[in-house]
């Protein structure tokens, strides 16, 4: 076995390690100790394909999992696979996006598929269609079997409406399903938007911001949604104003806005927070709740838990989506907690990331490494204690932790209560002491004696 493996010593170390691991598993089974010519050919193809993918930027850490899920790629001709990778690179798709495309849709490596799409996509790339749009089109077409004729038709319709290259790229990258939307349906969407007082000059901007509206049925979703808004008591002017301000309002599901407003009405929070949430009106407040719920669901929470988190921690509604995403990524990637922990400790999303979460985590992480913790500190034990209690428990007994926890205070700039030089203006005026004043003071002191 060892002599047969030496024939591959010129290949990448990762694949050799994988092959050695597989050979050990074979040797542990007496009935599988003989490596047949078929197995030799299979392992050789696997190694050659792995090295080819690594040359085109595929991370070695994910190769074994990718190849085990897509064994059919071993049946492809290696020369044709390399040609396909060269075609994908010629479309100027970034390496990271290329790896993502191959992982999600390995069928794009089939030479017969790329032969059909090479010329149309190459021509579009010359005319300003972005690489992200090309990636989305390839991914979508490989999954549902769309041909270039649909792509040509879609480009013709969008260009015929006067849309610029950036808008066409935005629509194709965010909503590649537009390839299946016919021209009549697109014109219906435009007439619908014009009917709710969206100026024709603003239609392109509307589709650029929310291209997914092209996939929403006019009769089945959009018109019933407007009727629902009116039944909730909103005037037509308010509805048109909110849609013009934020086109994604039309992406609401039927019944979603009433549920969000019901959540706001049942919030148990300070009056200051409630006033801040409703400062731009009930309609906008309900839509902000929907955006936060969608953000939490995007990271893996179910809708019920997402609504529960927002209801228990209303300050989430006031935070920007980017801030919430940073906290969630820090929670899952750096701290190692699962997203479902937010259902039990929603307060995590209501505190400041840099001022509270990061310093506390650094202290706990340091104590873990030093063995200074008697038990595991969960997310609840990290977030729930007040600043004073956390300091007394984990920081004060350890001088080195004070340096970790106090870094933010050492570099902080102390804001003065009053501007410089104000004391000079507030200083009382001084008066010269006359001889008469001295005589009066002496007489006063003598009277006391």
């Amino acid at each position: 076995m060892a002599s047969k493996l030496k024939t591959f010593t010129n290949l990448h170390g990762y694949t050799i390690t994988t092959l050695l691991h597989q050979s050990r598993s074979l040797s542990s089974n007496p009935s599988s100790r003989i490596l047949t010519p078929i197995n030799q050919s299979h392992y050789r193809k696997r190694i050659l394909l792995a090295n080819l993918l690594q040359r085109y930027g595929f991370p070695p850490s994910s190769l074994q999992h990718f190849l085990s899920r897509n064994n059919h790629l071993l049946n492809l001709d290696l020369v044709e696979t390399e040609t396909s990778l060269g075609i994908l690179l010629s479309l100027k798709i970034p390496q990271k996006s290329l790896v993502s495309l191959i992982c999600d849709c390995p069928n794009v490596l089939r030479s017969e598929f790329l032969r059909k799409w090479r010329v149309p996509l190459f021509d579009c790339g010359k005319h300003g269609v972005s690489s992200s749009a090309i990636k989305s089109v390839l991914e979508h077409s490989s999954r549902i079997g769309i041909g270039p004729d649909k792509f040509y038709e879609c480009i013709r319709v969008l260009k015929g409406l006067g849309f610029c290259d950036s808008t066409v790229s935005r629509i194709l990258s965010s909503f590649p399903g537009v390839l299946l939307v016919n021209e009549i349906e697109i014109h219906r969407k435009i007439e619908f938007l014009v009917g709710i007082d969206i100026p024709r000059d603003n239609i392109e901007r509307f589709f650029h911001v929310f291209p997914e509206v092209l996939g929403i049925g006019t009769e089945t979703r959009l018109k019933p949604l407007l009727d629902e808004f009116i039944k909730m008591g909103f005037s037509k002017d308010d509805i048109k104003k909110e849609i013009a301000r934020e086109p994604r309002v039309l992406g609401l599901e039927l019944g979603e806005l009433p549920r969000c407003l019901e959540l706001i009405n049942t919030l148990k929070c300070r009056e200051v927070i409630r006033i801040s949430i409703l400062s731009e009106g009930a309609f906008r407040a309900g839509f902000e709740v929907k955006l936060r719920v969608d953000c939490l669901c995007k990271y893996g929470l179910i809708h019920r838990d997402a609504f529960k988190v927002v209801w228990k921690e209303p300050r989430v509604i006031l935070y920007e989506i980017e801030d919430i995403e940073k906290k969630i990524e820090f929670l899952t990637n750096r701290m190692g907690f699962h997203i479902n922990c937010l259902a039990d400790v929603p307060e995590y999303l209501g505190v400041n990331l840099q001022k509270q979460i990061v310093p506390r985590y650094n202290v706990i992480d340091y104590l873990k490494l030093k063995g200074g913790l008697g038990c595991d500190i969960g997310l609840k034990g990290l977030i729930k204690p007040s600043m004073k209690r956390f300091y007394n428990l984990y920081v004060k007994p350890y001088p080195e932790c004070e340096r970790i926890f106090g870094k933010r205070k050492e570099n902080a700039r102390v804001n003065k209560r009053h501007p410089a030089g104000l004391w000079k203006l507030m200083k009382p005026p001084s008066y010269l002491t006359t001889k008469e004043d001295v005589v009066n003071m002496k007489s006063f002191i003598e009277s006391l004696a």
Side-chain angles (χ1 to χ4, degrees):
M1 174 68 70
S3 62
K4 291 177 181 178
L5 292 176
K6 287 180 182 178
T7 57
F8 304 116
T9 53
N10 61 329
L11 299 178
H12 196 278
Y14 169 77
T15 54
I16 291 296
T17 304
T18 305
L19 193 55
L20 286 171
H21 175 74
Q22 292 172 345
S23 66
R24 291 192 192 102
S25 64
L26 283 171
S27 62
S28 63
N29 186 359
S31 62
S32 303
R33 289 181 182 176
I34 300 176
L35 192 63
T36 64
I38 297 177
N39 287 336
Q40 289 183 28
S41 176
H42 175 81
Y43 290 139
R44 183 176 179 82
K45 284 183 179 179
R46 189 182 181 93
I47 291 173
L48 292 174
L49 180 58
N51 280 276
L52 175 62
L53 292 174
Q54 285 182 47
R55 290 208 312 269
Y56 282 86
F58 223 95
S61 57
S62 58
L63 262 178
Q64 186 178 6
H65 179 65
F66 173 74
L67 292 176
S68 62
R69 285 177 51 204
N70 301 281
N71 282 322
H72 64 277
L73 294 178
L74 300 176
N75 299 325
L76 300 178
D77 185 78
L78 199 64
V79 176
E80 291 187 356
T81 303
E82 187 169 7
T83 304
S84 299
L85 289 168
I87 293 173
L88 292 174
L89 281 181
S90 68
L91 296 174
K92 297 181 180 180
I93 300 177
Q95 190 178 60
K96 189 174 181 181
S97 300
L98 177 62
V99 172
S100 174
L101 173 63
I102 296 173
C103 285
D104 295 336
C105 296
N107 287 331
V108 297
L109 293 177
R110 295 182 179 275
S111 57
E112 62 272 14
F113 172 78
L114 281 178
R115 284 195 197 100
K116 294 189 300 183
W117 282 95
R118 180 179 183 177
V119 174
L121 294 178
F122 192 74
D123 292 341
C124 288
K126 286 182 177 179
H127 292 89
V129 177
S130 66
S131 59
S132 61
I134 293 175
K135 173 184 176 293
S136 296
V137 169
L138 283 174
E139 185 175 348
H140 192 69
S141 59
S142 67
R143 284 178 175 171
I144 61 177
I146 299 177
D149 51 341
K150 291 281 187 182
F151 177 73
Y152 280 125
E153 178 67 16
C154 180
I155 293 294
R156 183 190 65 78
V157 173
L158 295 178
K159 291 284 188 180
L161 293 171
F163 293 170
C164 63
D165 291 337
S166 63
T167 302
V168 174
S169 296
R170 166 72 175 166
I171 293 173
L172 290 174
S173 60
S174 298
F175 183 62
V178 70
L179 298 176
L180 297 176
V181 180
N182 58 47
E183 185 176 1
I184 297 175
E185 186 61 28
I186 292 177
H187 283 288
R188 282 179 184 170
K189 294 288 189 308
I190 294 175
E191 294 303 322
F192 171 80
L193 295 175
V194 172
I196 57 175
D197 293 343
I198 302 293
R200 285 192 177 270
D201 297 339
N202 208 20
I203 295 295
E204 182 177 358
R205 175 251 172 193
F206 197 97
F207 285 150
H208 187 93
V209 174
F210 186 51
E212 290 84 357
V213 71
L214 291 168
I216 301 175
T218 305
E219 300 295 332
T220 57
R221 272 275 304 278
L222 295 179
K223 290 183 178 179
L225 189 64
L226 293 184
D227 294 336
E228 182 181 74
F229 294 159
I230 294 173
K231 289 179 182 178
M232 293 173 65
F234 297 109
S235 65
K236 291 184 177 180
D237 292 337
D238 290 338
I239 295 171
K240 294 173 183 177
K241 177 183 174 183
E242 292 296 334
I243 293 175
R245 176 185 176 184
E246 180 52 82
R248 290 179 296 172
V249 167
L250 293 178
L252 285 164
E253 297 284 346
L254 294 174
E256 193 171 12
L257 187 62
R259 186 180 180 186
C260 294
L261 291 178
E262 182 182 356
L263 181 142
I264 293 174
N265 293 332
T266 58
L267 287 177
K268 297 178 181 179
C269 60
R270 290 178 293 160
E271 192 62 26
V272 175
I273 296 177
R274 186 185 297 276
I275 292 173
S276 299
I277 291 172
L278 296 170
S279 60
E280 297 187 37
F283 195 105
R284 184 67 187 178
F287 183 69
E288 292 293 338
V289 171
K290 178 252 192 316
L291 293 180
R292 273 65 182 174
V293 169
D294 287 349
C295 176
L296 294 172
C297 292
K298 182 178 72 173
Y299 283 93
L301 278 182
I302 62 175
H303 267 79
R304 183 185 62 189
D305 288 343
F307 273 99
K308 178 183 175 183
V309 169
V310 176
W311 184 78
K312 284 191 172 182
E313 186 50 70
R315 289 177 292 181
V316 174
I317 307 172
L318 301 178
Y319 278 106
E320 295 293 333
I321 298 292
E322 292 79 10
D323 295 333
I324 298 173
E325 289 177 342
K326 287 180 182 178
K327 290 179 182 178
I328 295 176
E329 289 171 2
F330 187 84
L331 175 74
T332 55
N333 300 336
R334 182 78 183 277
M335 300 175 70
F337 290 102
H338 195 272
I339 187 67
N340 289 334
C341 292
L342 292 178
D344 300 322
V345 192
E347 294 84 358
Y348 172 84
L349 295 177
V351 296
N352 190 283
L353 178 63
Q354 297 300 329
K355 293 182 179 180
Q356 288 184 265
I357 297 174
V358 174
R360 292 190 182 198
Y361 170 73
N362 289 338
V363 168
I364 296 298
D365 189 50
Y366 176 81
L367 293 177
K368 278 184 181 179
L369 293 175
K370 294 296 181 182
L373 294 176
C375 60
D376 188 26
I377 304 298
L379 186 61
K380 187 175 182 180
L382 191 70
I383 300 298
K384 285 290 185 76
S386 64
M387 186 69 77
K388 183 177 181 181
R389 178 172 174 78
F390 184 88
Y391 180 85
N392 290 335
L393 284 175
Y394 305 110
V395 181
K396 192 174 182 180
Y398 311 98
E400 61 273 21
C401 289
E402 282 201 38
R403 290 193 294 272
I404 297 172
F405 193 71
K407 281 182 180 178
R408 63 183 182 87
K409 295 181 180 179
E410 292 171 3
N411 300 325
R413 186 175 178 180
V414 179
N415 294 325
K416 297 181 179 180
R417 295 181 60 188
H418 305 296
L422 185 63
W423 64 273
K424 295 180 181 179
L425 299 176
M426 304 301 294
K427 185 178 178 180
S430 58
Y431 298 97
L432 295 175
T433 304
T434 62
K435 292 183 178 180
E436 185 179 357
D437 293 332
V438 174
V439 172
N440 290 336
M441 284 190 286
K442 283 184 178 180
S443 61
F444 177 72
I445 294 299
E446 289 174 356
S447 66
L448 293 177

